[in-house]
Amino acid sequence: MTAIAEIFAPTGLALPRLRSAALPWAYLAPALLITLVWIYLPLIEAAKLSFYQWNMLPTSPQRFVGWDNYRNLLTLPDMSRAALNTVLYIVGLLPLSVLIPLAVAILTQDMTGRARGIYRSLIFVPMIVAPVVAAILWRWLLNDTHGLVNAGLEVLGFGPVGFLQDPDIALWTLVWITGWKLIGFSTLLLSAANATIAPSYIEAARMDGASRWQVIRDIRLPLLSPTILLLTMMTALFGAQWSFIYVNVLTGGGPLKSTTNVFFLMWDYGFKTLSAGWSAAAGILTFVTLAAVALLMLRLMKRLAVYDE
C-alpha cells in the first residue's frame, strides 16, 4: 500500500497545479472563442478570397486569379483617389477628435456646479445620436435650397453653398459631421484623464510662481500624453471607418468620387458590383497598412507617453 501511495503521490500534487494553471484560460476561453470566430476566421477567409474572382452567388464557382486582384486594385484610379481621401479624412479629424477636445477639457476643468454639468451634457449629446439620424439631420440643415445653414448665410449676405454637392467642399463637410460626433467622446475621455492629475502638482507649481500656461505646458500636457496619443491612434485607425455611414447616406461617394474612401470602396465592390475578390483584396491591403500604422503608434506611445509613477 505504501508503494502504491508513493507512485500516485506526485499525480496528486500535480493536479491542483494543473487546475490553477488552467483556471485563467477557462475564464478567457469565451472571449478567445468569440475573437477567433468573429475576427480571425473571417480575416483568414478574406485573405483566401482575395486570390479569387467571385460574384458572391452561391451557384457561381470561385475562380483562382492569384495576385491579379491586387495588381488591378493598385493600378485603379478609384483606389488611389480613395486612399488619398482616407488620409484626408484622418488628417481632418485629428483637430476635431484631439486638439479641440483637449482645449475644452483643460479650459473647463476649473468649472464647478451646474455649469460644468450643463457643458458636459451639451458637448456629449451628439455622441448619443444615432449616426443615420445625425446624417439625415445634417442633410436637412445643409440643403442648398431650404437648409437652415444656407438660410443663415443668405441673411449675412452670402450665396448658397453646396456643402454636399460641391466636390471641393463635400469631403470636409463629412469630416466636420464625423468630428461633431466625436468631440463629446474625446472631451469626456480627456476630462476624466485631466481630473486624475494630482492637485498637489498644480499647487506646488503655483507656489513656485508658475503661470496657468506653464502649469498646462509642464504638468497637464505631459500627464495627458497617454490619452492624447491613444485618441490620435484611434483616429488614425478608425477615422475613415467612422465616416463610412455619412458617406453612404449623404453622398454615396460623390460628387465625382470626392468623398469616397477605402472602406466605402470595399463596400461598393462587395455589395454593388459584386466583385468579392476585389473587395477582399482592398480589405487586406487596408488591414496591412493600418496594422503597420498601429505598430508605429504603439512604439511612439511607449517612447513619448509620460506616466505618473
Side-chain angles (χ1 to χ4, degrees):
M1 294 294 293
T2 305
I4 295 175
E6 289 177 356
I7 291 173
F8 288 99
T11 305
L13 291 173
L15 190 58
R17 295 178 183 174
L18 182 61
R19 287 178 178 173
S20 62
L23 191 59
W25 292 103
Y27 287 127
L28 289 172
L32 293 175
L33 182 62
I34 291 173
T35 303
L36 176 66
V37 171
W38 292 105
I39 296 180
Y40 290 107
L41 288 181
L43 181 62
I44 293 171
E45 288 296 322
K48 176 185 174 183
L49 184 59
S50 67
F51 295 101
Y52 288 83
Q53 187 178 22
W54 184 44
N55 61 5
M56 298 182 67
L57 295 177
T59 57
S60 177
Q62 298 183 14
R63 185 167 63 88
F64 181 77
V65 294
W67 294 95
D68 286 352
N69 289 333
Y70 291 94
R71 281 192 288 264
N72 292 332
L73 279 176
L74 293 175
T75 57
L76 277 178
D78 286 353
M79 187 64 182
S80 58
R81 180 64 182 269
L84 176 61
N85 286 347
T86 301
V87 175
L88 294 178
Y89 275 111
I90 293 171
V91 173
L93 281 173
L94 282 173
L96 297 171
S97 64
V98 180
L99 296 182
I100 293 177
L102 177 63
V104 173
I106 290 177
L107 295 176
T108 58
Q109 184 61 36
D110 297 331
M111 293 177 63
T112 57
R114 184 176 299 177
R116 188 173 182 178
I118 291 174
Y119 113 83
R120 286 187 173 178
S121 300
L122 290 175
I123 205 167
F124 194 72
V125 162
M127 190 65 196
I128 62 178
V129 177
V132 174
V133 175
I136 294 173
L137 173 65
W138 279 105
R139 182 169 60 187
W140 172 66
L141 290 173
L142 299 176
N143 188 279
D144 56 347
T145 57
H146 55 268
L148 290 182
V149 175
N150 273 314
L153 290 175
E154 289 181 3
V155 171
L156 296 174
F158 298 97
V161 178
F163 291 100
L164 299 175
Q165 292 79 29
D166 189 339
D168 297 327
I169 301 176
L171 184 142
W172 303 110
T173 302
L174 296 186
V175 167
W176 158 252
I177 295 173
T178 308
W180 169 78
K181 284 275 292 178
L182 294 176
I183 286 177
F185 171 76
S186 299
T187 302
L188 189 67
L189 211 63
L190 287 165
S191 296
N194 197 24
T196 62
I197 297 175
S200 57
Y201 296 155
I202 312 299
E203 294 171 3
R206 287 174 177 169
M207 289 179 65
D208 289 338
S211 63
R212 185 176 185 183
W213 164 243
Q214 289 172 328
V215 170
I216 294 173
R217 183 191 62 190
D218 299 328
I219 297 177
R220 293 195 185 276
L221 289 181
L223 293 177
L224 287 173
S225 60
T227 307
I228 295 171
L229 291 170
L230 174 64
L231 288 172
T232 302
M233 182 175 70
M234 290 178 63
T235 304
L237 297 180
F238 305 117
Q241 185 177 348
W242 290 331
S243 65
F244 167 81
I245 185 67
Y246 306 110
V247 177
N248 191 26
V249 174
L250 294 175
T251 64
L256 302 176
K257 304 289 184 180
S258 62
T259 60
T260 188
N261 57 40
V262 291
F263 296 97
F264 183 80
L265 202 66
M266 282 188 280
W267 179 85
D268 187 53
Y269 287 155
F271 296 99
K272 278 193 174 181
T273 63
L274 298 181
S275 303
W278 283 28
S279 179
I284 295 300
L285 288 173
T286 304
F287 170 76
V288 172
T289 303
L290 293 182
V293 172
L295 291 174
L296 176 63
M297 294 297 299
L298 288 173
R299 294 191 65 179
L300 287 175
M301 288 179 69
K302 290 182 179 180
R303 181 175 299 181
L304 300 178
V306 177
Y307 296 96
D308 184 11
E309 297 178 347

